[in-house]
C-alpha cells in the first residue's frame, strides 16, 4: 500500500464537476465511483459543510479513499458496492450524483490486477470479486466468442485475426499473463507503425466485458436520476464512446419529461492544458442533467 499511495489518481474535469454540483451548506452528494476521492475532496474544498455518500466496487478503492478523505470524518459514508445498488444505500433525496467511469490510476499500476498490457501480471482485470475471469475466457472461449468481445467492446477491426492467434497460441501453452497476451495480439497485427499499442483495444474490450461495465451503467443511470431532488444534478464522465452513447441516450430520453433538463447538449471535454498535464483525461466526456426545480416548473 505505501508505494501505491504515491500513485494518486488525478481527478478529471474537477472544476467543472464542482461548479455543476454547486456544493453548499447542508447538501448531500453521492460519489458513485469514489476511487482516490479526488472529486469528493474538491467538493469539500469548495464547502466543508456537506455530506458525501462514497461508493466503489473495488475494496482497495474504498480503503484508499477512506485514507484520503479521513479528515472529513463522519461527513463521508463509505459503501463497497457496485453503483447498480445506489438505491439500496441512498434512501432519501440527494443534491447530486457523480459517476467518473473507468479505472483509477492505482488499479492500472497494481501488478496484481492485470489491467495494463505494459506490465507482467496475471490475466485478471476484475474490479471486484463479481467480475468474470478473463483468464478463463481467453483460454476456453471459441474464436468467434473472443472476436465478438474484442469487436463489440473495443471496436477492434482485427478481432477475428487476433482471436485465431489467441486460440492457436493457447494450444501450445495456456495464456496466463498480460505480457504474453499483449505479445500475441501484437504478433497478430500486420507489422508497421501503430499510433497506439496494438493490444490497447483488446485489453479495453476484455476489461469492459469482464466487469459488465456497460450493463451496469445502463442499470445505474435511471436509479441515479430517481434519487436526486428537484434542483439536483447527475454528472457522468465517460472515457469510451459506447459509455458516452449510453449516457447521451438515457439523458435525452429523460429530458423529454418536463421534470428534467439537459445541462450539456454537447459533452464537455478537457482543455488542452488539462490534457497536457494529465494524459488520462484525453478521452473524457462529461454530460450533466438536472432535475428541474419544482417551484420553477409550476411557474
Ligand atoms: C476513474 S476512477 C474514479 C476516480 C475518482 N473520481 C477520483 O478522483 O479519484 C473510477 C472508479 O470507479 C470504480 N467503479 C467502476 N465501475 C464501478 C461500478 N459499477 N460500481 C462502483 N464503482 C465502480 C472503479 O473501481 C474506480 O475506482
Amino acid at each position: 500500500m505505501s508505494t501505491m499511495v504515491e500513485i494518486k489518481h488525478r481527478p478529471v474535469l474537477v472544476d467543472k464537476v464542482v461548479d455543476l454540483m454547486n456544493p453548499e451548506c447542508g447538501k448531500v452528494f453521492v460519489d458513485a465511483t469514489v476511487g482516490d476521492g479526488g472529486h469528493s475532496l474538491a467538493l469539500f474544498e469548495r464547502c466543508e459543510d456537506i455530506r458525501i455518500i462514497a461508493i466503489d466496487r473495488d475494496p482497495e478503492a474504498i480503503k484508499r479513499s477512506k485514507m484520503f478523505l479521513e479528515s472529513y470524518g463522519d461527513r463521508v459514508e463509505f459503501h463497497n458496492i457496485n453503483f447498480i445498488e445506489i438505491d439500496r444505500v441512498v434512501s432519501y433525496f440527494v443534491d447530486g450524483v457523480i459517476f467518473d467511469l473507468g479505472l483509477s490510476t492505482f488499479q492500472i499500476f497494481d501488478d496484481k490486477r492485470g489491467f495494463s498490457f505494459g506490465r507482467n501480471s496475471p490475466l485478471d482485470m476484475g474490479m471486484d470479486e463479481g467480475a468474470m475471469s478473463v483468464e478463463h475466457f481467453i483460454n476456453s472461449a471459441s474464436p468467434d466468442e473472443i472476436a465478438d468481445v474484442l469487436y463489440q467492446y473495443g471496436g477492434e477491426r482485427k478481432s477475428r485475426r487476433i482471436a485465431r492467434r489467441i486460440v492457436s497460441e493457447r494450444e501450445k501453452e495456456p495464456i496466463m499473463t498480460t505480457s504474453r497476451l499483449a505479445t500475441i495480439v501484437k504478433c497478430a497485427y500486420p507489422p508497421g507503425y501503430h499510433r497506439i499499442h496494438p493490444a490497447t483495444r483488446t485489453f479495453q474490450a476484455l476489461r469492459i466485458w469482464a466487469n459488465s461495465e456497460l450493463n451496469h451503467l445502463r442499470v445505474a443511470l435511471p436509479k441515479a436520476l430517481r434519487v436526486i431532488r428537484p434542483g439536483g444534478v447527475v454528472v457522468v464522465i465517460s472515457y469510451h464512446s459506447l459509455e458516452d452513447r449510453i449516457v447521451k441516450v438515457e439523458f435525452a430520453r429523460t429530458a423529454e419529461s418536463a421534470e428534467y433538463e439537459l445541462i450539456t447538449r454537447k459533452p464537455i471535454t478537457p482543455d488542452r492544458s488539462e490534457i497536457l498535464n494529465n494524459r488520462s483525461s484525453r478521452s473524457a466526456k462529461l454530460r450533466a442533467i438536472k432535475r428541474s426545480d419544482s417551484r420553477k416548473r409550476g411557474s
Side-chain angles (χ1 to χ4, degrees), residues 237-254:
I237 305 175
S238 64
Y239 299 85
H240 187 287
S241 57
L242 295 174
E243 284 171 347
D244 181 54
R245 180 145 191 83
I246 291 170
V247 182
K248 181 180 169 183
V249 169
E250 181 62 26
F251 280 7
R253 197 187 57 75
T254 305

Side-chain angles (χ1 to χ4, degrees), residues 32-156:
T33 50
V34 68
D36 274 352
H39 287 109
S40 287
L41 272 172
L43 290 170
F44 276 124
E45 275 159 19
R46 179 77 63 91
C47 176
E48 288 224 329
D49 199 8
I50 56 169
R51 286 197 302 120
I52 292 188
I53 300 170
I55 293 174
D56 204 293
R57 66 187 287 186
D58 187 331
E60 193 61 29
I62 292 293
K63 255 198 243 165
R64 289 172 65 91
S65 55
K66 273 187 179 164
M67 190 177 59
F68 292 126
L69 292 163
E70 195 184 6
S71 54
Y72 297 99
D74 62 5
R75 277 167 284 168
V76 198
E77 179 188 310
F78 294 91
H79 296 277
N80 181 204
I81 56 164
N82 192 307
F83 56 50
I84 55 175
E85 294 185 85
I86 185 170
D87 50 346
R88 190 166 67 75
V89 294
V90 181
S91 50
Y92 46 85
F93 285 127
V94 296
D95 297 281
V97 181
I98 162 82
F99 293 89
D100 178 22
L101 303 170
L103 288 178
S104 193
T105 308
F106 82 87
Q107 293 168 318
I108 299 169
F109 279 87
D110 187 340
D111 282 339
K112 296 185 292 301
R113 309 296 293 264
F115 286 118
S116 168
F117 53 80
R119 313 180 87 81
N120 192 20
S121 312
L123 265 186
D124 184 340
M125 301 194 205
M127 288 193 207
D128 60 18
E129 303 245 297
M132 287 176 283
S133 164
V134 170
E135 185 200 295
H136 178 74
F137 180 70
I138 284 295
N139 286 294
S140 62
S142 71
D144 280 351
E145 285 169 328
I146 297 175
D148 287 351
V149 165
L150 303 192
Y151 185 72
Q152 198 183 335
Y153 299 116
E156 176 54 74

